[in-house]
Amino acid sequence: MPTKDVLTKADLAELRRSALGTANPLGVAADLAEAVEQGRLEDPDDAGDALTLAAEIAEIRARPEAALRYAEQALAAYQSGDDPRAGFARALRARALFRAGGRDDEAMAELTALRPLLLTQPDAPAYVSAALDVGGRSATAETWLSEAVDSLLSERATAASGPASTAIDPVVDLGPPDAPGVAFFLLQQRHRVRRNLNLPHDRQDDLADRLETQLVRRAGERRDAESDLLFWPRAEFDRLLAEHAALSEVYGSDWDAHRARLEKELVRLRGAGQAGLAVFRATVDGLNAFAGRRDGDPADAAVRAGYAAEVQALPSARIAWPPERNDACWCGSGLKYKKDCLPRSRS
């Protein structure tokens, strides 16, 4: 795809979903960088995002020199160092520095500069702790996340009830089910890091569990599972029905039926006046893991609703809808939208 004359936002979104599954992911990364250099992006403001994707591909494929080069180009492409999109690129730069060897101090300086974002950006706890883990510093991640949680909860408790609040449960803004607040992501990431370090369950871990339970309940109250807009790519869909056959009644008897249900629901929502629509890429591993954390059944409606809320809060899972008629279809089939899912709303 990067060999196209002009790359659109839809093209970049498709590459974000599919690049690592291609025969030559590193070639995709190089083509993305070339497209930026040659000015072949439909929206020049996407340059930083395209280069960040190239850096992510190179880092995952264990090419730290290329990842470092792309990440630094991405940071130069963002018009402002305060651009919220630049945080992930800086974390990727840190990961590449760790992997390059002998540059740990530079990596830590980069991540230390990102530390304040733990209190303001929902994605920051995940990408900062992931970078620290690459550098063998998971214990540092736990310390940073714990201190950020303490700071955030203290500020909110003070704002809610004045200084020296002694409430048993700190004040936490959970946010709506489809966009949980910063505190939720901070607590959940801390919980995951502590679990990986085999640390004992503490009060904040209990709070993380309670917030997740609240999210599941509120998500179940807000929507039924048939309109959760979860999209199962072809391989994931086949595995879903193989492991949970009863879900064919919810998501469709085959992949064509699944995509038709989503397309029709999206058309219905647009007709009802909703804007900014999207589907959300789901995985069977993700659903099973969520059900396991809740000690529930993946086929249970409340569990599915909770998993949908979790997925919908992840920017990386979002697939904007609709694409342009001649752009790649949102389902990842490789066909143009007008030749694939667009007609399904009329079937």
Side-chain angles (χ1 to χ4, degrees):
M1 183 180 295
T3 57
K4 292 177 61 175
D5 288 341
V6 176
L7 289 181
T8 67
K9 290 183 184 293
D11 292 332
L12 293 176
E14 171 60 24
L15 286 171
R16 193 169 290 110
R17 295 191 297 271
S18 63
L20 290 173
T22 63
N24 184 15
L26 292 172
V28 173
D31 287 347
L32 281 167
E34 184 178 79
V36 172
E37 183 179 0
Q38 295 176 351
R40 291 193 288 110
L41 298 179
E42 182 180 59
D43 184 351
D45 190 51
D46 289 336
D49 293 343
L51 289 162
T52 297
L53 176 57
E56 184 178 12
I57 294 169
E59 199 278 330
I60 291 173
R61 301 295 290 185
R63 294 294 189 272
E65 297 84 2
L68 184 59
R69 181 172 67 255
Y70 295 144
E72 290 176 345
Q73 291 173 354
L75 292 172
Y78 289 119
Q79 294 184 1
S80 168
D82 295 330
D83 191 318
R85 297 173 298 172
F88 183 43
R90 296 180 69 181
L92 285 169
R93 180 176 185 273
R95 285 162 59 168
L97 288 168
F98 278 134
R99 293 193 192 279
R103 304 185 69 177
D104 287 16
D105 288 347
E106 292 178 71
M108 285 303 298
E110 189 75 90
L111 293 175
T112 300
L114 292 177
R115 192 173 175 182
L117 300 184
L118 295 174
L119 297 171
T120 60
Q121 292 191 12
D123 289 349
Y127 64 63
V128 170
S129 60
L132 288 167
D133 183 64
V134 167
R137 289 168 168 78
S138 292
T140 299
E142 194 278 333
T143 297
W144 286 12
L145 292 169
S146 294
E147 291 179 359
V149 167
D150 287 342
S151 176
L152 189 63
L153 297 185
S154 176
E155 288 178 5
R156 295 187 178 187
T158 299
S161 56
S165 172
T166 58
I168 294 177
D169 288 327
V171 176
V172 178
D173 177 18
L174 182 59
D178 55 354
V182 171
F184 174 81
F185 288 104
L186 190 54
L187 282 159
Q188 291 299 315
Q189 188 62 30
R190 177 184 180 274
H191 193 24
R192 294 187 187 101
V193 169
R194 287 176 58 81
R195 186 165 55 236
N196 290 338
L197 290 171
N198 294 315
L199 294 176
H201 216 73
D202 66 5
R203 178 179 171 183
Q204 291 180 352
D205 290 321
D206 290 338
L207 179 58
D209 283 339
R210 289 199 298 276
L211 288 177
E212 188 175 61
T213 299
Q214 289 179 33
L215 191 69
V216 170
R217 186 182 68 249
R218 288 168 57 179
E221 293 170 351
R222 179 167 173 169
R223 66 172 70 82
D224 60 47
E226 292 183 333
S227 61
D228 59 20
L229 299 181
L230 288 184
F231 166 58
W232 304 88
R234 182 61 177 268
E236 293 292 335
F237 184 84
D238 291 344
R239 182 183 166 195
L240 180 73
L241 296 196
E243 295 186 16
H244 309 292
L247 292 182
S248 63
E249 297 182 6
V250 176
Y251 295 114
S253 58
D254 56 35
W255 201 50
D256 285 343
H258 172 52
R259 292 181 292 165
R261 285 188 179 206
L262 284 172
E263 186 72 22
K264 289 175 181 178
E265 177 65 8
L266 289 161
V267 170
R268 184 190 71 79
L269 292 172
R270 182 175 61 183
Q274 290 197 30
L277 292 168
V279 296
F280 300 87
R281 184 185 180 100
T283 66
V284 178
D285 284 341
L287 174 62
N288 290 342
F290 185 89
R293 293 198 303 271
R294 307 316 310 153
D295 194 24
D297 183 349
D300 181 77
V303 170
R304 293 198 310 274
Y307 174 60
E310 183 176 78
V311 171
Q312 290 174 4
L314 299 173
S316 60
R318 189 177 190 276
I319 304 171
W321 181 94
E324 296 296 326
R325 289 174 55 87
N326 288 313
D327 283 345
C329 188
W330 56 263
C331 72
S333 66
L335 299 175
K336 291 182 178 181
Y337 178 49
K338 69 180 182 182
K339 294 291 187 180
D340 199 349
C341 286
L342 176 60
R344 298 183 193 280
S345 64
R346 301 188 289 271
S347 62

